[in-house]
Amino acid sequence: SAVISQKPSRDICQRGTSLTIQCQVDSQVTMMFWYRQQPGQSLTLIATANQGSEATYESGFVIDKFPISRPNLTFSTLTVSNMSPEDSSIYLCSVELWREAFFGQGTRLTVV
Amino acid sequence: AQKITQTQPGMFVQEKEAVTLDCTYDTSDPSYGLFWYKQPSSGEMIFLIYQGSYDQQNATEGRYSLNFQKARKSANLVISASQLGDSAMYFCAMREGDFQKLVFGTGTRLLVSP
């Protein structure tokens, strides 16, 4: 399995500020995925991040709000910009290895 | 249309009993993968088991087994000998093709009682 380190594990942020979430994988992977889980809901894909190219965003998510970096094959960041209380969610990164998909520990974000 | 359907919002089981969590899926892609994850209150997503559409046998991982019925498009998770630590949310997910996103069901909350 893959070991995925995601930081921070949780944060409480003021509205209007931004938070950057980091995801480090112990293996080189082509694609990394960022998901959001709103309270009491299932997971929804925000974007797919390939190394060396711009991230591909799902409908309803835009780069200005959720900029993503993918500087190498083991690391990615997701920024939640200009936060509002509606951004309070768990954010998770995920990678696929040997057909199986693994997740980081998640970042529990509360916006006040 | 929902691609992944979990019809049980909540399930109760007694310790040491077996429990089946239901999952049905919808796809026209012949190549797909089915996943089950456990999410405790901490929020992390713990990978439990994977079944590929071309796999001939049902997947098993310790106390977890996947009852894969391709014609019925169902991929139920069976947990044998339930433990108190199994209490959590369980999500079924599907990936169509390789290196594609996962689509998740709405989840089933499992409560294991002593």
Side-chain angles (χ1 to χ4, degrees):
Chain A
S1 66
V3 176
I4 306 172
S5 175
Q6 186 175 337
K7 296 189 293 188
S9 58
R10 58 176 61 232
D11 208 340
I12 301 173
C13 300
Q14 296 289 326
R15 66 179 67 198
T17 63
S18 298
L19 175 72
T20 295
I21 302 167
Q22 300 180 1
C23 187
Q24 177 77 51
V25 189
D26 68 343
S27 304
Q28 293 186 335
V29 293
T30 304
M31 300 169 74
M32 295 178 75
F33 303 88
W34 287 98
Y35 291 84
R36 180 178 74 179
Q37 185 181 26
Q38 294 178 297
Q41 304 293 315
S42 188
L43 279 75
T44 302
L45 182 70
I46 297 171
T48 303
N50 289 331
Q51 192 268 333
S53 63
E54 281 202 5
T56 302
Y57 289 82
E58 296 294 298
S59 175
F61 298 96
V62 295
I63 188 171
D64 289 347
K65 176 67 174 177
F66 298 101
I68 288 172
S69 78
R70 184 79 204 274
N72 57 54
L73 291 173
T74 62
F75 186 79
S76 179
T77 67
L78 169 76
T79 298
V80 186
S81 303
N82 188 24
M83 288 184 284
S84 66
E86 291 71 34
D87 294 320
S88 297
S89 298
I90 298 175
Y91 294 85
L92 300 111
C93 64
S94 174
V95 302
E96 180 178 324
L97 279 176
W98 311 296
R99 301 192 309 169
E100 297 176 356
F102 302 97
F103 285 81
Q105 303 95 320
T107 296
R108 189 181 294 270
L109 171 62
T110 301
V111 183
V112 298
Chain B
Q2 292 287 334
K3 284 187 175 273
I4 293 286
T5 302
Q6 294 180 255
T7 58
Q8 306 155 316
M11 288 287 285
F12 296 89
V13 66
Q14 276 203 312
E15 201 175 6
K16 300 178 185 175
E17 297 291 313
V19 63
T20 298
L21 306 184
D22 294 342
C23 174
T24 58
Y25 60 93
D26 182 28
T27 181
S28 57
D29 193 324
S31 176
Y32 55 89
L34 298 158
F35 300 77
W36 277 94
Y37 292 89
K38 172 184 178 182
Q39 188 179 44
S41 57
S42 60
E44 62 182 312
M45 292 290 284
I46 302 170
F47 168 79
L48 296 179
I49 198 165
Y50 166 83
Q51 180 84 45
S53 59
Y54 295 119
D55 293 343
Q56 294 296 312
Q57 294 190 323
N58 286 349
T60 61
E61 290 285 350
R63 295 187 298 112
Y64 304 107
S65 61
L66 200 151
N67 184 2
F68 181 44
Q69 298 190 40
K70 199 169 183 177
R72 294 186 176 184
K73 293 189 175 180
S74 74
N76 298 339
L77 176 71
V78 180
I79 305 174
S80 63
S82 297
Q83 302 172 356
L84 296 179
D86 293 335
S87 294
M89 281 291 289
Y90 288 80
F91 289 95
C92 179
M94 178 176 67
R95 180 190 62 221
E96 293 170 305
D98 292 325
F99 300 106
Q100 301 297 317
K101 68 179 181 183
L102 295 181
V103 177
F104 286 84
T106 51
T108 296
R109 183 171 297 280
L110 176 66
L111 183 60
V112 182
S113 59

